[in-house]
Amino acid sequence: MTESTHAVHTIEEVLEEIPQAGASKLYRVVTSYYFYALLIAVICAGIFGWLADQVTDHTVGGFNRSILLAIHARQTPTLDSLALHITWLGSTYGIATLGLLFTAAFLLMKRYVDLATMAAVLIGASLMVVTLKLVFHNPRPQVFPPLVQETNFSFPSGHSLTSFAIWGFFAWWMVSLQVRNLWRWLLGLLGILVAASVALSRLYLGVHWPTDVLAGLLLGFGWVALCATGNRWFTRHARRERREMLHQEWLARQNPTPSMPPV
């Protein structure tokens, strides 16, 4: 009777621990790096999908036009020159220059996984620009005479997408090295402000709709979040394998294989 009662209590204790273990595991999942990164990617993709539907259905024309006109009303020669210089940072040459600078820095620091991640960010962003412009065929604004001439399609903004991609990657990389360093957050924020300035310059120059640059922001951030997830998984997997290898080497040194005696 005593053993039966003890068995019942043991089973009850196990049953009580199962929900706690499940809750603990769920808590670890929803507070993990991967969860937040993938959540950002999913949110960005969802908002982009909604935005693309609005652009395709031509329901945001009034919103786009009113913002461009408000920006154009503040046009000055000084701002014209500033916008032309800032927009260069998001051009093919500007992004290539930034990419080469970051590449040299990563090679000097021997951070090859981060270099590969940046390459994935830029290649993916470039492919999205080319593909999505052809998919949507959205024409450029004709609200006022643009300050530069562009011949390809408008949605999404390539300058904005690649700028938010490379500077978003820079911000993630800076903060991920040591999350508690305030100056790293400030440098990351500065990078995002550079990307936002490039996006704003495209509106000021009259070559993109606001929805174009918003789409670039969403795609850039979402893609960086996915690439950052891959970076974290690969880095942790490589570290785990290296620790296992070092452990096996240590065991081999502690228990050397005895040599066979001569015959």
Side-chain angles (χ1 to χ4, degrees), residues 108-154:
L108 288 174
M109 292 184 291
K110 297 182 179 180
R111 301 190 69 92
Y112 304 117
V113 176
D114 294 333
L115 176 58
T117 305
M118 186 193 70
V121 167
L122 291 178
I123 292 172
S126 300
L127 290 175
M128 282 191 284
V129 169
V130 174
T131 303
L132 293 174
K133 281 182 181 292
L134 293 175
V135 168
F136 289 100
H137 281 77
N138 202 43
R140 297 273 179 174
Q142 298 296 326
V143 178
F144 53 85
L147 298 183
V148 294
Q149 296 298 321
E150 299 285 359
T151 57
N152 58 358
F153 296 108
S154 184

Side-chain angles (χ1 to χ4, degrees), residues 56-255:
T56 303
D57 295 339
H58 305 288
T59 60
V60 290
F63 166 79
N64 279 332
R65 184 176 295 272
S66 62
I67 291 181
L68 286 185
L69 288 174
I71 294 174
H72 183 63
R74 291 164 174 77
Q75 186 174 3
T76 66
T78 301
L79 290 178
D80 291 353
S81 176
L82 181 62
L84 289 171
H85 283 88
I86 290 176
T87 204
W88 181 85
L89 294 173
S91 67
T92 302
Y93 296 111
I95 295 297
T97 301
L98 288 172
L100 288 175
L101 291 174
F102 290 155
T103 297
F106 286 140
L107 288 175
L108 288 174
M109 292 184 291
K110 297 182 179 180
R111 301 190 69 92
Y112 304 117
V113 176
D114 294 333
L115 176 58
T117 305
M118 186 193 70
V121 167
L122 291 178
I123 292 172
S126 300
L127 290 175
M128 282 191 284
V129 169
V130 174
T131 303
L132 293 174
K133 281 182 181 292
L134 293 175
V135 168
F136 289 100
H137 281 77
N138 202 43
R140 297 273 179 174
Q142 298 296 326
V143 178
F144 53 85
L147 298 183
V148 294
Q149 296 298 321
E150 299 285 359
T151 57
N152 58 358
F153 296 108
S154 184
F155 184 86
S157 167
H159 280 64
S160 299
L161 201 163
T162 52
S163 294
F164 280 113
I166 193 168
W167 287 111
F169 166 79
F170 171 78
W172 162 80
W173 181 75
M174 286 299 301
V175 173
S176 67
L177 291 178
Q178 196 161 355
V179 177
R180 296 184 179 181
N181 275 6
L182 178 61
W183 68 270
R184 292 186 180 277
W185 284 89
L186 294 177
L187 283 178
L189 178 61
L190 180 61
I192 299 302
L193 290 177
V194 172
S197 298
V198 171
L200 184 60
S201 73
R202 305 307 285 171
L203 301 180
Y204 182 90
L205 296 173
V207 292
H208 274 295
W209 301 106
T211 47
D212 299 338
V213 299
L214 179 57
L217 180 152
L218 293 168
L219 291 171
F221 280 166
W223 180 235
V224 168
L226 285 178
C227 291
T229 303
N231 177 286
R232 176 61 64 91
W233 180 87
F234 185 85
T235 301
R236 289 194 169 185
H237 184 72
R239 287 176 180 172
R240 190 180 301 113
E241 286 190 345
R242 178 169 176 77
R243 286 197 299 267
E244 180 64 25
M245 181 184 68
L246 292 175
H247 180 65
Q248 293 298 329
E249 291 178 356
W250 180 83
L251 289 177
R253 289 195 300 269
Q254 297 300 313
N255 302 288

